[in-house]
Amino acid sequence: MCRLRAWFQITACACAVSFCSSSSVSVAANAQEQPNATIYRPTFHFSPEKNWINDPAGLVFDGSEYHLFNQYNPFSDQWGHMSWSHSVSKDLVSWQELPVALKDENGIAIFTGSAVLDAGNTSGFGKNGISPLIAIYTGNGLQTQNAAYSIDHGRTWSRYEGNPVLDLHESDFRDPMVFWHEPTKRWVMVASLALKHKVLFFSSPDLKIWTKLSEFGPAGANGAPNWECPNLFQLPVANTAGQKKWVLELGIGDNGPAGGSATQYFVGEFDGTKFIDDNPPNQTLWVDYGSDFYAAQTWSNIPASDGRRIAIAWMDNWKYADKLPTSPWRGQTTSPRTLGLLQTRDGIRLTQVPAKEMEALRDEHVQMRMATWADVESMLSRRDWPETIEIDAELQLEDSQDFGFVVRKGSSYGTRVGYDATWRDVYVDRTHSGDVIVGPTFAAKHEAPIAVQNGRIRLHILLDRSSVELFADNGLVTITDLIYPRTVDRELGVYAAGKSPLVIALDVWTLKRRAGQY
Ligand code: FRU
């Protein structure tokens, strides 16, 4: 039986171990002297080669490539000169950075927005039978909505000479998300009136002329300083007979569940004109309970034959984004996640799982079935691990109080990813993740409630050089946190207070670097 000694020390257990993998993974020499460019550079999350990024924007699949734009400062690793950087990928995993798509000009910065493929050339921007890609973004002065188009797969962009396409003479009216609403055969825009805690809906026949439809809000989280980056989409509810619901995601700039910026969502109906929340206005649903998940967006134009709604977010927090200890870049995105809805006892809830393309990163594999915690501990301690790991564990609770995995573990550091039976929550505890001081609130434990079913829980963890993403309860709960561990601390371990859980299934993979990474 394993017994907890100190929070970062695990008692050695003698036990039988079953390996499905052979060779061990080599660990590089202590790299504390390496520049931050190497130490914290994610190997499978997107980060720019250099300079600052925040929100993902303009996510569109054009039939052969996924496009990812980001809020980007072409000149420095601090926020400013907001422009749209541009990257493309065939598989959502390996990204190729292209020249900046839209640069700030004449003092007007290019804030967040979305992009669509105008297959019917309703805008008239298409030429010679080529359907244009159209970006709808906020121009930041007084905040107005604007259009730009490309007829060469996003390689060059022209601004619409009739810009702005929408001007309410407001200073905080931003982040337009545009999509084609098939039942009413028109474009719909949802944009936030940030300080009034409202989103506004508009429609357009051609992406140029917009007519106001309705408003939604305030609702949900109290204490939000603003509403930003709305995202609206429809999803099937998995365990129902064909029911579909609309999800409205919204960023709030502060006072989220882990402190600082966070993303909430509403579930309801949208008839092409108005969004009606299914829940009472004071109900708050969080997309992610970690500190580092903001400004989430979803790809438009994914073919119906695929049918997925795939999201990505800025893996960061406005509380300390300008202090991250990385150079020459600052900012990264989460892994791509496939979204779903599930009917639960409490109502219809959002689920997120890593996009299946992430499985291509899996390398060496260890699996255990019907094992003890001691077996797991022995297996984990008998090899060297790289910095990038995926763990997927289905665990049976046995009067257990508090247990979990320690990642990036060393003699006095480690990040705990576990379950606390007293509070019935899962958590990521980065209070001892490393010795880097990012800000006063960084060293913290972030918890999320889960509903234990049949006495079992599932912890699915993606670990990159400077982040942990936890998908628990089959994706009903996620916790996304940045960490800045010491390079030497690469062990994996387990801990348990009270009875250890029984391991129904455990899979551990080492993860490969994505191609084209710096
Ligand atoms: C969200 C946000 C957006 C805005 C952008 C500016 O993180 O504040 O509302 O468009 O960042 O960079």
Side-chain angles (χ1 to χ4, degrees):
M1 176 76 45
C2 296
R3 194 164 47 81
L4 188 74
R5 263 202 213 134
W7 83 266
F8 51 81
Q9 261 184 323
I10 307 298
T11 311
C13 300
C15 51
V17 184
S18 54
F19 284 93
C20 298
S21 165
S22 47
S23 60
S24 81
V25 182
S26 69
V27 175
N30 178 355
Q32 284 306 299
E33 293 117 48
Q34 288 176 15
N36 289 352
T38 318
I39 298 174
Y40 303 128
R41 172 71 82 182
T43 76
F44 62 88
H45 291 87
F46 172 77
S47 61
E49 182 180 9
K50 57 182 187 184
N51 298 330
W52 166 281
I53 59 161
N54 55 288
D55 315 355
L59 305 187
V60 58
F61 179 67
D62 70 7
S64 74
E65 286 177 328
Y66 294 92
H67 294 260
L68 165 66
F69 304 83
N70 276 97
Q71 284 288 277
Y72 181 68
N73 183 346
F75 305 107
S76 104
D77 61 5
Q78 291 294 335
W79 189 89
H81 293 284
M82 279 298 107
S83 302
W84 277 26
S85 63
H86 188 196
S87 303
V88 287
S89 173
K90 294 268 184 205
D91 60 4
L92 290 166
V93 177
S94 294
W95 293 97
Q96 182 198 352
E97 243 179 304
L98 298 175
V100 174
L102 292 164
K103 290 190 186 139
D104 81 324
E105 256 176 33
N106 308 324
I108 304 291
I110 314 290
F111 273 17
T112 296
S114 55
V116 292
L117 180 80
D118 182 12
N121 199 19
T122 60
S123 60
F125 294 143
K127 268 200 195 109
N128 306 328
I130 300 173
S131 304
L133 283 177
I134 301 185
I136 308 280
Y137 60 90
T138 299
N140 185 47
L142 265 185
Q143 295 186 341
T144 61
Q145 313 323 322
N146 299 268
Y149 58 94
S150 168
I151 48 172
D152 58 0
H153 302 282
R155 271 39 182 189
T156 57
W157 291 83
S158 308
R159 294 175 202 215
Y160 171 45
E161 64 278 5
N163 278 337
V165 293
L166 196 47
D167 182 359
L168 302 185
H169 309 289
E170 288 276 354
S171 54
D172 284 279
F173 170 48
R174 59 179 176 270
D175 306 337
M177 188 256 180
V178 170
F179 63 95
W180 178 254
H181 187 254
E182 184 55 30
T184 53
K185 301 234 179 297
R186 60 190 185 181
W187 297 101
V188 169
M189 180 197 293
V190 49
S192 77
L193 217 42
L195 302 184
K196 295 187 176 145
H197 303 158
K198 284 184 181 183
V199 290
L200 308 187
F201 296 89
F202 302 85
S203 73
S204 172
D206 57 5
L207 296 159
K208 298 170 180 166
I209 298 164
W210 291 93
T211 308
K212 187 170 167 192
L213 297 171
S214 64
E215 300 185 357
F216 172 73
N222 277 325
N226 54 30
W227 277 17
E228 306 181 311
C229 306
N231 213 251
L232 179 70
F233 46 86
Q234 195 183 30
L235 286 173
V237 186
N239 47 349
T240 61
Q243 196 185 4
K244 287 184 173 176
K245 282 285 173 190
W246 287 81
V247 177
L248 174 61
E249 291 190 0
L250 275 172
I252 62 165
D254 203 354
N255 298 324
S261 37
T263 307
Q264 59 174 339
Y265 71 96
F266 303 90
V267 180
E269 297 293 347
F270 180 71
D271 60 2
T273 300
K274 207 171 166 32
F275 178 79
I276 312 270
D277 190 3
D278 277 0
N279 296 307
N282 58 354
Q283 175 147 26
T284 307
L285 302 172
W286 297 111
V287 177
D288 190 284
Y289 284 81
S291 188
D292 300 299
F293 182 95
Y294 198 57
Q297 280 226 356
T298 55
W299 267 278
S300 67
N301 202 44
I302 291 187
S305 55
D306 178 322
R308 287 178 298 169
R309 183 53 70 164
I310 303 171
I312 205 163
W314 181 41
M315 191 150 61
D316 214 323
N317 193 312
W318 279 117
K319 270 261 181 289
Y320 44 68
D322 59 342
K323 298 182 187 63
L324 301 186
T326 62
S327 175
W329 91 99
R330 191 170 269 123
Q332 56 179 301
T333 60
T334 64
S335 56
R337 301 172 179 192
T338 302
L339 305 184
L341 285 174
L342 201 64
Q343 177 73 56
T344 72
R345 273 183 314 208
D346 299 327
I348 295 172
R349 295 290 181 268
L350 189 70
T351 59
Q352 301 171 76
V353 293
K356 66 175 187 304
E357 286 83 349
M358 298 290 291
E359 291 174 14
L361 295 165
R362 291 174 178 171
D363 196 2
E364 296 182 37
H365 181 202
V366 183
Q367 67 175 16
M368 302 177 93
R369 299 287 181 266
M370 301 310 290
T372 66
W373 215 220
D375 294 337
V376 176
E377 178 160 65
S378 171
M379 180 275 286
L380 292 179
S381 66
R382 275 177 37 184
R383 54 190 281 161
D384 295 333
W385 297 99
E387 298 154 293
T388 52
I389 298 283
E390 179 175 355
I391 299 173
D392 193 0
E394 192 182 353
L395 305 169
Q396 171 95 40
L397 307 186
E398 302 274 315
D399 262 341
S400 320
Q401 284 166 28
D402 188 356
F403 62 84
F405 295 90
V406 197
V407 299
R408 298 306 298 268
K409 176 174 171 279
S411 53
S412 48
Y413 291 104
T415 298
R416 286 182 160 200
V417 185
Y419 172 73
D420 186 337
T422 310
W423 302 103
R424 296 203 186 146
D425 58 29
V426 287
Y427 58 83
V428 173
D429 182 351
R430 65 176 183 189
T431 48
H432 294 77
S433 57
D435 51 14
V436 170
I437 313 290
V438 179
T441 55
F442 188 85
K445 182 179 177 186
H446 302 133
E447 295 119 347
I450 63 165
V452 175
Q453 311 227 347
N454 310 321
R456 290 183 183 182
I457 65 160
R458 182 159 167 221
L459 301 176
H460 188 180
I461 302 164
L462 293 179
L463 175 70
D464 202 343
R465 278 198 178 135
S466 49
S467 66
V468 179
E469 290 172 277
L470 169 65
F471 303 82
D473 214 2
N474 294 315
L476 279 166
V477 158
T478 65
I479 302 181
T480 304
D481 274 348
L482 292 171
I483 52 169
Y484 295 101
R486 300 189 320 156
T487 317
V488 284
D489 295 335
R490 297 184 186 205
E491 291 167 35
L492 297 175
V494 291
Y495 59 92
K499 249 180 132 186
S500 304
L502 180 68
V503 179
I504 306 296
L506 173 71
D507 291 274
V508 182
W509 292 270
T510 64
L511 297 179
K512 291 183 278 210
R513 286 168 83 79
R514 64 180 175 83
Q517 179 56 288
Y518 312 112

